[in-house]
Amino acid sequence: MAKKLVCITKEGLKIDETEEEKKKFEEQKAKYENLCKVVKDVLGDKVEKVIISERLQNTPCILVTGEYGWSANMERIMKAQALRDNSMGTYMSSKKTLELNPNHSVVSELKKKADADKNDKTVKDLVWLLFETALLNSGFSLDDPASFATRIHRMIRLGLNIDEEEAEDQQKVDEELPPLETDDSSSKMEEVD
């Protein structure tokens, strides 16, 4: 019996499952429909669609490409080409699907927060962080590493219970401090008579 090989980084991966598993998955799909919509609204055209995943076990989400689009590795190779066709690159690389793991604690807590207030700044930050970490985890590169770092720092402050105003005050103090003074005599070469 011949087996067909499929790329697991592309959408459309079919896993054999029982009727009970299919029913449970359909229930989860309905339960997480609102979260998928919120995530898609936040990410806009960065992803083609947001769906619930059957394949994930340990990670909260993953990015997969369309069945006929470029894989992450191919996209990286094509971006590195000197004489590449930008229009084709945009067409081939734009078909990303974000798959959410409904059994992961991060996704279930995000669902609770989004159900409570979909416009919550924390929800938007978490969605972007999940997307960008999924980009990295799936082999893609970040478009804007600086905003990723800013979001990480904001989440660290939140985790450490540092007030946003307190952090801004500290940044102002740091900016007002004079630069470190150096001993000029040690940095100059001795003059020879």
Side-chain angles (χ1 to χ4, degrees):
M1 179 180 194
K3 297 283 184 182
K4 182 181 177 189
L5 294 176
V6 294
C7 181
I8 61 169
T9 65
K10 297 196 179 238
E11 68 179 341
L13 179 68
K14 300 289 185 219
I15 299 172
D16 292 335
E17 55 189 354
T18 65
E19 286 300 318
E20 185 179 315
E21 289 171 331
K22 285 180 186 177
K23 185 180 176 191
K24 183 182 176 192
F25 178 70
E26 288 303 319
E27 287 170 4
Q28 281 184 325
K29 231 167 117 174
K31 185 178 170 187
Y32 281 83
E33 188 176 339
N34 185 50
L35 178 63
C36 290
K37 185 181 181 315
V38 169
V39 172
K40 173 63 177 142
D41 289 344
V42 170
L43 297 177
D45 62 355
K46 293 287 183 185
V47 292
E48 184 180 21
K49 57 187 171 184
V50 178
I51 61 172
I52 294 303
S53 179
E54 293 179 83
R55 72 173 90 197
L56 297 177
Q57 298 295 315
N58 301 320
T59 57
C61 59
I62 191 171
L63 268 172
V64 295
T65 55
E67 196 175 346
Y68 302 105
W70 287 339
S71 66
N73 193 40
M74 187 63 185
E75 186 173 314
R76 225 177 17 255
I77 290 168
M78 292 307 289
K79 280 183 178 179
Q81 299 301 310
L83 301 172
R84 64 188 165 105
D85 180 2
N86 284 333
S87 63
M88 182 159 193
T90 303
Y91 174 74
M92 294 298 285
S93 66
S94 64
K95 308 286 185 199
K96 293 181 185 72
T97 298
L98 182 67
E99 293 188 5
L100 300 175
N101 180 356
N103 302 315
H104 198 280
S105 57
V106 169
V107 175
S108 58
E109 284 301 311
L110 182 62
K111 179 189 178 309
K112 289 177 191 173
K113 283 188 169 297
D115 288 345
D117 180 9
K118 70 177 183 176
N119 296 316
D120 183 359
K121 189 172 127 181
T122 306
V123 169
K124 291 179 180 180
D125 270 347
L126 289 171
V127 166
W128 277 106
L129 280 175
L130 283 172
F131 170 72
E132 289 167 331
T133 52
L135 268 175
L136 293 173
N137 202 26
S138 301
F140 295 98
S141 55
L142 294 175
D143 291 335
D144 188 5
S147 55
F148 175 68
T150 301
R151 269 189 279 281
I152 291 285
H153 296 150
R154 195 163 42 233
M155 288 294 135
I156 290 171
R157 281 195 300 271
L158 185 67
L160 294 173
N161 293 321
I162 299 173
D163 188 22
E164 196 74 30
E165 290 175 14
E166 185 181 323
E168 288 173 8
D169 291 344
Q170 182 60 47
Q171 186 176 1
K172 287 178 188 173
V173 168
D174 290 345
E175 289 170 0
E176 291 172 4
L177 287 175
L180 290 175
E181 299 208 12
T182 58
D183 183 9
D184 288 341
S185 62
S186 65
S187 64
K188 290 182 181 176
M189 291 170 58
E190 290 184 20
E191 293 181 18
V192 179
D193 289 333

